[in-house]
Amino acid sequence: DRVPVLTIDGPGGAGKGTISCLVAERLGWHLLDSGALYRLTAQAAINHDVAVDDEIALARLAEQLDVAFPIEGGRPRTMLEGDDVGQAIRTEDAGERASQVAALPLVRQALLQRQRDFCQAPGLVADGRDMGTVVFPDAPLKIFLTASADERARRRYLQLQEAGVDASLPSLLKEIQARDARDMQRSVAPLKPADDAITLDTTRLSIPEVVDRLTELLTQRG
Ligand code: C5P
């Protein structure tokens, strides 16, 4: 039988990362954080002095990306070429660079099969921008998670504060809006709900409420 996939797409700061992780944990399914692959490609470009517009070199980096996501002490780590880059790839700058390399068709092409390889029994929760539209078009349940830009900026701000990172709310809002615009307007795999996706606005929902709602939807479909 086919391995079931739950795709969770949407703009930055909508809560995809947190929600995907919790739902995967509850179901005992695998998790694909596709944004991390774009962030890691951008980080590899820095490590190897590759320019952010050298599409061919970036695609080669993406194809040969030496990454691992080991779980240590119950927390997943992100290793690139043997170094823990978990912190470095989570900054707003890293997100911005990721969004630049993610606009390049050859880079997306290079990461396609790698993403599909995450689909293994008993199931996969796939978090990103084009999980339902491009990478897993046959997924039985597709969710498009959104929230107002103000609310998403506020969540990012709290997340950064918690991590001890200085941030300004107005500039976060601007960065989020700029990244959304680039992700929605690019010609390959733009950010948009799949035709058969269910849109869930989380502006006024708590994390447990969203997790419950998704588990409910999965039970209905399963
Ligand atoms: O989700 P995250 O913020 O980590 O993603 C970083 C960037 O990677 C996004 O702004 C987007 O440009 C790109 N991305 C993408 N397709 C995905 C996941 C992320 O283009 N499936």
Side-chain angles (χ1 to χ4, degrees):
D1 258 26
R2 281 249 193 95
V3 175
V5 180
L6 163 63
T7 62
I8 304 185
D9 290 305
K16 289 180 313 252
T18 309
I19 301 294
S20 303
C21 194
L22 289 170
V23 173
E25 211 167 38
R26 189 185 285 190
L27 298 169
W29 287 9
H30 297 280
L31 176 66
L32 164 60
D33 173 3
S34 60
L37 295 177
Y38 291 97
R39 288 171 185 264
L40 286 162
T41 302
Q43 181 64 46
I46 294 177
N47 293 358
H48 296 280
D49 268 328
V50 170
V52 292
D53 58 354
D54 187 343
E55 184 167 0
I56 299 206
L58 288 167
R60 193 170 305 130
L61 278 182
E63 212 167 70
Q64 297 169 351
L65 215 53
D66 169 17
V67 295
F69 304 97
I71 295 178
E72 268 167 45
R75 304 188 62 194
R77 297 175 64 194
T78 308
M79 311 294 293
L80 176 66
E81 296 161 1
D83 291 326
D84 188 332
V85 293
Q87 295 254 329
I89 63 160
R90 288 297 148 201
T91 64
E92 290 302 308
D93 281 351
E96 174 66 22
R97 285 190 292 269
S99 155
Q100 283 175 30
V101 305
L104 304 171
L106 291 180
V107 170
R108 304 199 73 85
Q109 181 65 36
L111 290 175
L112 193 58
Q113 191 54 46
R114 191 182 274 261
Q115 295 175 82
R116 290 186 175 150
D117 289 342
F118 277 78
C119 185
Q120 288 177 23
L124 176 69
V125 178
D127 157 357
R129 303 290 185 290
D130 63 340
M131 298 296 99
T133 50
V134 175
V135 183
F136 302 107
D138 299 329
L141 181 59
K142 302 178 181 179
I143 302 294
F144 195 78
L145 218 58
T146 60
S148 71
D150 281 325
E151 174 63 14
R152 291 186 285 119
R154 196 186 65 87
R155 289 178 189 170
R156 263 287 149 80
Y157 181 72
L158 293 177
Q159 229 175 25
L160 289 172
Q161 267 199 330
E162 221 164 274
V165 181
D166 262 343
S168 116
L169 194 53
S171 63
L172 275 178
L173 180 60
K174 260 197 218 143
E175 282 163 10
I176 281 186
Q177 287 170 327
R179 186 136 71 90
D180 287 354
R182 179 186 295 125
D183 290 348
M184 289 187 294
Q185 285 156 16
R186 69 182 175 216
S187 52
V188 269
L191 169 64
K192 64 163 188 215
D195 290 337
D196 51 350
I198 296 174
T199 296
L200 199 60
D201 185 330
T202 70
T203 307
R204 282 178 196 80
L205 296 178
S206 69
I207 290 168
E209 282 171 334
V210 179
V211 173
D212 283 347
R213 182 87 188 97
L214 293 194
T215 333
E216 218 176 270
L217 283 168
L218 261 178
T219 326
Q220 286 168 13
R221 300 267 166 134

